[in-house]
Structures are given as C-alpha cells and as structure tokens.
C-alpha cells in the first residue's frame, strides 16, 4: 500500500468536493483527470492513457471504471474500494459500460459534472460519452471544479512540496557539477534526474528541458544531445518531484565569459522576478503578476524577446505537463490566495544575437509576501 | 536544428499520407497527435499539452497552429515553414483561429479528416472544434490514418529503433548492478534511466515501471520507493529510447532464493513467449498472437493470473504512454506485417502467494520469424 496521505485528509477533500457540487446542483462528478483522482483518493497511475472514469457522487460514493492492469494499481495506491473493469473488445467502446454503471447508481436524469478539459479524456472518448449519455442525464462541463480546490494546498501537501523543492535544488547542484566545456547534455540530464530519483522522487509530468547553444533559446524538450563548447550557454527547466508534487526551477548557465547581452537580459529577468514577487500575494490576480513582469521587461526593451505568460501553478500533476491551473497571463482574473504553489519563470530569447536568459523559482504564497521554496541564490550561474 | 531524418524520408511519408487521404476522399487532415506531427515533419515537443493543430492538405501544404513557446521549437526541430500562433486570452478558444486558417486555405465545404483519438486533443477542445466546424466542412474521424502508416517502419527508423534497443539492454545491466538486498528502488531507477540519458536517449513516453515486494505485481508506475529485502522480487518494465523511438523490455528479478511459485510462473511465461514468437509473422493477426499466449498460459492454469493483452507496437511516441497501435488482444484483426516493431510481454501476478513473474522483449518482424532486438538472455534473473 502506497498511500501518501491520512484518510482524514482524503475525507476533507471529498467533503470540499461534495460541497462545491451541491453549490452547483451537481449530483455526481465523472472525473477523468488523473490529478483529480490522485487528489481525491490517492489513485496513482498512468492508466489514464486508456479510457477510465472515477464516479464521485454527492453522497460520497466512489466507483472506478478502468482496465484490468489498473485493478491492482488502484488497490495498492488508493482508498477506492469499488473498482469495475472494462475489457478490450475490438471496436467496442467502454462508454456503454459506464452508462450501465451510472444507471446502477440511480443517476438516470441526474445532473452530471464532467471533466472534459483534461488529457484523461480524449476527444474521441468525449464524443462517445456525449453520444451515450445525452438522453440519459443532464451533462455539464465541470472541468474546473476540482482544480479550483486543488490550487490551494493543505499542510500535508505542503510537506511534500517542500521535499520536492529540496530535490530540485539537489538536481541543480548535480547538474552544475557536470557542466563544463566538452560536457555532454545527456550526462548532465542523467545527473539531474538521478538526484531526484535517488532522493525518493519520481518522473516529472513532463521532460526536464535542457538545451545548449542555439537550442538554449527553446523552452520545450526535444530528442538529440550535444556537447558544450568552450563558450556556450545551457538552459535548464526542471522540477523536483515528491509524491507527484512538483517544485520547478529555471536557470540559464553561461559557460566561459558572459557576453554583454547575457548581462543585459539577466538584469531584466532579475528585476522582473522581483516585480513579480511584489504582487504575488492576496489582493492581486494572476493577470497582475503577468503585468508586473511585462512592465519591467518592456521597460528594458524586451518585448520582442519575452513570452506571453510568465509562470503557473504547480501541484500533483501527471503527463503530459506539470503546468497547472491557474497560469500567469494577461486577463487571467484568478486571484492569488495563501498556500498556493506558484512557479514564476522569466524567459528571454534574443534570436538576433542567439542569446538566452532565464530565471525562475517556485514560491509558496502566504497572507503577505511569498516564500521562495528554493535555497539557491538568484545569481547568474557562470562556469569556467 | 535537430532533424533526425533526411528530407526525402519526410517527403516519402507525406506522399504516403496524401495517397491514403485521396483513397478516402479527404481534402485535409487536422492532425492533433504529436506522434503524427513528429512522423510527418520531425516536430518534437510536449507543447501538445495545449491546443495545437497541424493542417496537412492533399497537395501537401503544412500549416502549424500553436502557442508562442513552440514557434522556435517547431523551427529548430521540424521542416514546417508556415507556423501561426494563438495567444492565451482568458476564456477565448483558439479553435476560432483554426477555422480562419482553414478558410484561408480554401477548405470551406471540404472533407476534413480529424484525429480525435489522441491525447493531443482533449474532449473539451474536441467539442469546441466540432461546434466551430460543423457547418464549415464535412468532418470525419481519421484517427487511424497516420498510425496505420506509422506501424511499418522504414530502414531509417529501424536504425533508431536498434539504437533504442541497445540502450534498453544497457539500462537493464545498469539496474542489475544495483539490485541487491538493501538496495533502494530510487537508486536502481536512477541507474537505469541514467544509462539511457548518457547513451543519447531521452525520457520515455511513460515512466519506467519499478515495483518490488507486493508491488512487483503492479504493471504501472507509482510514487514512493522502498528498499529490497533479503528475499524479494522486483519487476522492471522499461524502454530504451532514441529519437523518440522506443524498445521495451520486461523482467522480474528474484532476490535471494527463487520460490517454487516463481519457477512455475517463469516456466509458463517462457513457454508463452516462445509460442508468441511462432505466430508473430505475416499471415497472422494481432489476435492470433494473443491467443497463442493465452493458450499456453491457460494450459499452465494461469488464466486467473494473466492479463487480457500481451503486448503492443512501439514507435516514436509521446506522453502519456509508449503503447502504440496495434495491440495484442482478443479480436484484434490487424495483421502482422514485416518491419513492425512489436513488444511482447508475458505478465503473471499471483495474488494468493504474492508472486510476480514477467518476461518481455521487443521484436522486429520480418517476412518470416521475428528478430529479437535485445541481446539479453531470457533466463530468470536471480541476484544473490
């Protein structure tokens, strides 16, 4: 049994979910996001690559419909007791079995809240679902019901988040120990991810991002590795993970002498991050945080080099991405509240000179100023 | 630029896709699977966590609609020249921008083939898409058009697959060097994944699966690690990866003396894998392969302990899973053809005695008998 929270913690989360459902008149949730299932029950799997659904009723019944390989997985990792299986049958869809299950739960004509906005429900399965349930019940998109509850962390979650942050720092230090002229990106990556695994963490919800030379300007991972040259730059965006909770960091390391352009970009990034910290607190929205970043960036003439977002929430996330809701972009009216875990990244990529600079870390919000969860300095890292 | 195939290779794939489209009367494909985009153009990203679409017309125009952070990613990794961006705007959906793009391509009233059956298109985005395009064009589900072409590998792909297989063998050897009483699962995992990274590989499309003690019976990954005891078992399901191509292996390692039950399960697994090899060749279906496995398993009284599937195709896959189409299960009439890359796994989990046994490796199909891509022996691995 690998249950990472007390039963009382899961009960509190279920109570909160049931209350939010009652507020919206929802009789049962059809949960498809692995994040929702993990948060509500501990169920930990990548079995959402196939069709699966966790039904949660307003009177707190939990029924999981999944594929056989996940029966034992649900038993070993979650508090779910009622697990039903569907079987691969050529072209047959498991949605029919879901409908029967809902019928058995006496949900004919009920109002069902559905998580459509998740990688746990493909468009194909979503279409089958709508087709099968359209005349059976009243279907409403309730994709944000659980994520809104998940966005504010409990004390027990924050313990895991702090451990994830500790592992992120260790990962950076392990990477720095390998970074030098001639070093292979693959070896740097092995050292960084290895530090997380050896510390008891797991795979991140997306690849660590590692790119050097002209690829230091990228902010996604890709296949193919290179070796560092004598004067180089390497961008690292990575996360410590613990019990699926993420704490991310981002740095661009300069190898050899820094250029004037590196220093200019770094000055803008550092100042923008300070401006972000000043508004990352209750009384401000996620849009305010983005605007604080943009204002500094644009004063430094960085508008052509910056992105249209400067970070996001973190939590217990599954593939394909650790980016959680809400995000820092223009017009996002979500409010900053205490005990959120927020990753702010300042990303600059100057194509004309081929120069990259990034600076990012994860914060725990409070009633007042946010607490950085990393003990690493914000200095521009330079090797050699 | 990180392009892993010659331009002529991409042109051949595009020709094959256009021909398959013509056969079905499809004027343009709306591709949402990252696998399709990578195969057709080299585009390598996890940016499919947000809405993105690659439009491919029958006259071989390629237009990518994506989010800003992937503009440079597409330029550095793919042959796509026409890249359009959508911007986060509160509640606004990017589907409207896709419709405008299709209109510009003169596709009003056309027959559009859509990839609905992929994690690259969530149910939410799929509903928006259907709503926006219903009166604009004739929409057909063409989810299997590209996967059917991808299932048979080219010589250039097989070079990468072989390299992935070499890294898988190295990963197992690195893991075995760490497996002993008292060893920490996290350290074993770090050694295995580290071997792939150091060899030039990348993250697998799903976590390596590692579980010991009672969790050796699981066939999914989970968070939380333990240490091996003096008499133990550890199940490892993992893949070497190279240029996003996967070659998987599966073993259960016994620590200390093997039990009688381990030996019984191993005998069944070994015999079943041999039976599978005998039919994994042209003239048989994927269902035949499953039945060959099931017949041996059931003769060994393993019906309660086996699964309802015994493997699947492999290729260049992205999160959340490396399992590719077609799969080995009852009733799957897909035919085995030469130059497929197929992973056969014999998985047994006996709950009553808490015993696990697995045996699996990846094959390249030929006109005749399949070629195992691993040089590892199929012996039951025992430590100490």
């Amino acid at each position: 049994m690998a249950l990472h929270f007390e039963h009382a913690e899961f009960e509190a989360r279920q109570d909160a979910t049931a209350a939010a459902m009652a507020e919206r008149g929802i009789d049962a949730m059809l949960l498809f996001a692995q994040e929702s299932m993990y948060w509500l029950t501990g169920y930990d799997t990548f079995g959402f690559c196939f069709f699966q659904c966790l039904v949660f009723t307003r009177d707190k019944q939990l029924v999981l419909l999944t594929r056989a390989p996940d029966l034992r997985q649900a038993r070993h990792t979650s508090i779910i007791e009622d697990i039903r299986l569907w079987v691969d049958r050529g072209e047959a869809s498991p949605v029919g079995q879901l409908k029967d299950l809902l019928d058995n739960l006496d949900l004919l004509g009920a109002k069902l809240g559905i998580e459509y906005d998740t990688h746990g429900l493909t468009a194909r399965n979503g279409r089958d679902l709508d087709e099968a349930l359209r005349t059976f019940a009243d279907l409403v998109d309730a994709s944000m019901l659980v994520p809104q509850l998940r966005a504010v962390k409990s004390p027990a979650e924050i313990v895991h988040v702090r451990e994830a942050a500790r592992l992120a720092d260790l990962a950076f230090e392990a990477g720095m120990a390998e970074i030098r002229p001639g070093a292979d990106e693959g070896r740097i990556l092995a050292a960084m991810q290895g530090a997380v695994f050896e510390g008891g963490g797991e795979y991140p919800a997306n690849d660590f991002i590692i790119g050097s030379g002209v690829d230091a300007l990228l902010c996604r991972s890709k296949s193919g590795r290179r070796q560092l040259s004598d004067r180089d730059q390497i961008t690292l965006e990575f996360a410590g993970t613990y019990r699926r909770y993420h704490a991310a960091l981002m740095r661009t390391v300069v190898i050899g002498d820094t250029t004037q352009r590196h220093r200019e970009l770094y000055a803008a990034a550092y100042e923008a991050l300070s401006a972000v910290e000043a508004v990352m607190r209750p009384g401000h929205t996620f849009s305010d945080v983005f605007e604080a970043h943009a204002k500094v960036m644009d004063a430094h003439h960085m508008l052509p080099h910056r992105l249209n977002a400067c970070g996001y929430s973190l939590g217990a996330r599954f593939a394909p991405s650790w980016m959680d809701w809400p995000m820092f972009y223009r017009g996002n009216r979500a409010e900053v509240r205490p005990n959120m875990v927020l990753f702010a990244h300042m990303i600059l990529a100057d194509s004309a000179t081929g120069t990259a600079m990034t600076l990012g870390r994860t914060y725990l919000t409070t009633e007042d100023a946010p607490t950085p969860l990393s003990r690493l300095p914000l200095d521009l890292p330079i090797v050699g």
Side-chain angles (χ1 to χ4, degrees), chain A:
Chain A
M1 194 73 191
L3 206 59
H4 306 310
F5 295 97
E6 301 289 329
H7 271 78
E9 171 91 7
F10 289 117
E11 279 161 30
R13 296 177 190 174
Q14 290 176 22
D15 288 343
T17 306
M21 289 162 64
E23 217 168 87
R24 298 184 53 182
I26 293 171
D27 298 301
M29 287 291 291
L30 306 191
L31 302 170
F32 292 99
Q34 193 60 48
E35 292 78 9
S36 299
M37 301 189 199
Y38 181 77
W39 183 78
L40 211 56
T41 71
Y43 180 39
D44 184 6
T45 185
F46 62 87
F48 67 94
C49 60
F50 298 108
F51 180 88
Q52 69 173 4
C53 181
L54 178 63
V55 181
F56 179 67
T57 65
R58 212 199 290 187
D59 58 355
K60 296 191 270 177
Q61 274 187 281
L62 282 167
V63 187
L64 177 68
L65 177 66
T66 190
R67 216 164 142 268
D70 274 298
L71 168 63
R72 203 176 270 109
Q73 189 79 14
R75 287 196 181 137
H76 285 220
T77 65
S78 85
I79 58 168
I80 306 169
E81 290 174 1
D82 190 347
I83 305 165
R84 324 265 177 107
L85 299 181
W86 65 266
V87 177
D88 297 297
R89 281 189 224 139
E91 303 299 308
S93 159
V95 166
Q97 293 180 54
L98 176 61
K99 186 179 174 182
D100 293 343
L101 189 163
L102 295 171
D103 203 19
N104 291 342
L105 289 172
D106 209 19
L107 288 167
L108 175 66
K111 184 169 176 181
L112 302 179
I114 300 181
E115 290 188 326
Y116 287 107
D117 191 9
T118 168
H119 293 88
L121 186 66
T122 62
R124 162 72 177 276
N125 286 332
R127 292 177 117 207
D128 287 351
L129 186 81
D130 282 346
E131 183 63 28
L133 298 184
R134 190 170 284 131
T135 58
F136 175 87
D138 178 18
L139 311 181
V140 296
D141 189 336
S143 302
M144 294 313 290
L145 192 141
V146 174
Q148 282 177 338
L149 298 172
R150 283 199 304 106
V152 173
K153 271 61 177 177
S154 72
E157 290 180 289
I158 291 168
V159 170
H160 292 336
V161 170
R162 287 188 186 279
E163 184 61 12
R166 190 181 72 83
L167 295 179
D169 285 352
L170 291 179
F172 183 70
E173 288 164 348
M176 283 297 281
E178 296 291 337
I179 293 176
R180 66 182 71 91
D184 184 85
E185 287 178 355
R187 194 172 167 84
I188 297 163
L189 180 57
M192 295 181 74
Q193 186 61 67
V196 175
F197 287 153
E198 293 194 24
E202 56 274 329
Y203 283 89
N206 54 253
D207 299 0
F208 283 9
I209 295 158
I210 178 168
S212 60
V214 67
D215 289 341
L217 279 70
L218 300 179
C219 41
R220 300 271 185 252
S221 61
K222 59 171 180 53
S223 63
R225 301 280 167 253
R226 72 182 278 278
Q227 274 153 22
L228 299 181
S229 48
D230 291 348
R231 297 192 64 167
D232 213 326
Q233 55 185 357
I234 181 166
T235 294
L236 305 166
E237 187 173 12
F238 56 101
T241 54
Y242 197 76
R243 306 321 193 207
R244 301 285 178 198
Y245 288 83
H246 292 70
L249 285 172
M250 192 168 195
R251 293 288 190 281
T252 298
V253 182
V254 176
I255 294 94
D257 295 332
T258 56
T259 63
Q260 169 73 13
R261 194 60 179 148
H262 276 125
R263 290 191 296 274
E264 287 166 6
L265 299 185
Y266 173 76
Y270 182 86
E271 196 182 313
L273 189 60
S274 305
V276 157
E277 291 178 9
V279 293
M280 189 192 282
R281 54 185 74 189
H284 296 275
T285 65
F286 277 68
S287 184
D288 294 339
V289 172
F290 173 79
E291 297 297 353
H293 140 275
K295 190 177 165 191
V296 171
M297 288 295 192
D298 299 357
H300 281 263
H301 310 290
M302 296 294 165
L303 178 58
H305 313 305
R306 69 163 170 86
L307 295 176
N308 298 315
C310 71
Y312 40 80
S313 298
L314 291 170
R317 286 276 300 183
F318 292 78
S321 153
W322 70 51
M323 293 178 262
D324 212 350
W325 178 94
M327 300 184 68
F328 297 125
Y329 58 75
R330 181 160 289 162
N332 187 346
R333 287 167 300 177
E335 288 177 8
V336 176
R337 285 178 288 161
N339 297 318
M340 288 180 152
V341 176
L342 304 179
F343 174 51
H345 61 52
M346 308 297 112
I347 299 179
L348 288 166
D350 177 3
S351 292
T353 63
T355 311
M357 186 49 59
T358 65
L359 190 63
R361 61 180 177 180
T362 299
Y363 300 85
L364 179 67
T365 58
T366 72
E367 295 287 349
D368 190 29
T371 307
L373 292 175
S374 168
R375 59 173 169 71
L376 299 179
L378 290 177
D379 305 346
L380 171 57
I382 304 169
V383 170

